[in-house]
Amino acid sequence: LSILFYFFLQHRSIRLHGAKPMFIVSIINAVRIFLYYMAYNNTSVGNAILILYTGPIFTTLISSYVLGERLTAKKLILATAAFCGIAFMYSGKEFSFVSRDFLGMSAALTSTILNSAMIISIKKYSHGFGRLETVLYQNAVAALVFLPFFLFTDPLPTAFQISTAVSVSFAIGVVAYFLFFSALKKIEASVATIISYIEVLVSFVLTITFFNEIITLNMILGGFLILGSTLLLQRSSDST
């Protein structure tokens, strides 16, 4: 809604010609979001995190075939090293394999594959669309599908809950994806997704800062693996 309002104020029209692939991307994103929350509701945080963050590895492999990006040993090694960093950081969390976990882990795996497909599709089909238009199309179907659940819950959300939800949605759904899609127009999809591993490191810094989580050796080792892999990949991208 905020993007539509901005376009209205700017007297700008939204490009509809050639938008069919973008609508398909929007449907993929809506399904991905549903499976994402389904994963966390049906399995442990540790299980969900490890499966969801295999995404950059899938993106690296698929983008080499769909987008023709070079699949180098260095990319695979750095993506695997960053994933191992996440495994280190979450090694103290609960892992379980009871019957309900299969549903949650399957949802997580499907969600991360769909996320890779969404990123690669946007990289391939978003040429000619502005960054805000890309964000609008990406979120359109999910907004229409999930908004009624938010508005008609019982009990109704409070003013504070609504303002928090709107703020978080704007920050993640608009600002974060606007920056991500801006980067996606300039660098390879595989590189962008591997760099996104840094969000795990940031989340741990925030939990330590605001929730007094205890720093462990595994966190430090995992952080170095993620940060080191990201910096080496960025240097490699800049040199090419």
Side-chain angles (χ1 to χ4, degrees):
L1 291 175
S2 59
I3 296 175
L4 287 174
F5 185 64
Y6 173 79
F7 274 76
F8 175 76
L9 291 178
Q10 296 292 317
H11 302 288
R12 289 173 55 182
S13 59
I14 299 170
R15 178 183 171 183
L16 297 176
H17 177 70
K20 183 178 179 179
M22 302 302 287
F23 278 114
I24 295 174
V25 165
S26 192
I27 294 171
I28 291 173
N29 186 52
V31 176
R32 177 195 68 83
I33 291 173
F34 174 78
L35 292 173
Y36 179 89
Y37 288 108
M38 182 178 174
Y40 280 107
N41 282 330
N42 289 278
T43 190
S44 66
V45 171
N47 288 350
I49 286 289
L50 284 182
I51 294 175
L52 287 168
Y53 279 96
T54 58
I57 298 174
F58 283 113
T59 304
T60 300
L61 294 172
I62 298 171
S63 63
S64 66
Y65 295 100
V66 178
L67 301 176
E69 295 181 359
R70 278 202 313 158
L71 180 61
T72 64
K74 186 172 185 178
K75 279 184 184 178
L76 287 174
I77 291 170
L78 291 177
T80 304
F83 177 73
C84 289
I86 293 175
F88 269 115
M89 296 182 83
Y90 280 90
S91 58
K93 303 294 182 181
E94 178 189 358
F95 292 87
S96 59
F97 294 93
V98 296
S99 58
R100 189 177 178 185
D101 284 307
F102 179 77
L103 178 62
M105 294 167 73
S106 299
L109 182 61
T110 308
S111 177
T112 197
I113 293 173
L114 288 177
N115 189 58
S116 297
M118 180 188 72
I119 291 169
I120 291 169
S121 298
I122 288 174
K123 177 72 174 179
K124 184 172 183 178
Y125 296 111
S126 65
H127 300 291
F129 291 90
R131 289 167 292 184
L132 279 176
E133 284 180 318
T134 303
V135 174
L136 176 64
Y137 277 115
Q138 185 229 3
N139 289 305
V141 172
L144 291 173
V145 170
F146 297 121
L147 185 61
F149 292 96
F150 177 73
L151 294 177
F152 300 106
T153 56
D154 186 23
L156 291 173
T158 64
F160 175 76
Q161 290 173 328
I162 293 174
S163 61
T164 302
V166 169
S167 299
V168 172
S169 299
F170 182 80
I172 297 174
V174 178
V175 177
Y177 272 109
F178 177 83
L179 295 173
F180 182 78
F181 293 149
S182 297
L184 202 58
K185 288 181 178 293
K186 298 179 180 180
I187 60 177
E188 294 180 336
S190 54
V191 174
T193 52
I194 296 173
I195 292 175
S196 68
Y197 270 136
I198 203 76
E199 75 176 82
V200 180
L201 186 58
V202 172
S203 69
F204 264 92
V205 171
L206 292 176
T207 56
I208 291 167
T209 303
F210 295 104
F211 299 102
N212 299 318
E213 184 159 335
I214 299 172
I215 302 175
T216 65
L217 179 60
N218 285 345
M219 286 185 184
I220 295 172
L221 291 174
F224 273 117
L225 277 172
I226 295 170
L227 189 59
S229 300
T230 302
L231 291 175
L232 286 172
L233 187 70
Q234 185 62 50
R235 285 186 61 184
S236 174
S237 179
D238 290 340
S239 63
T240 55

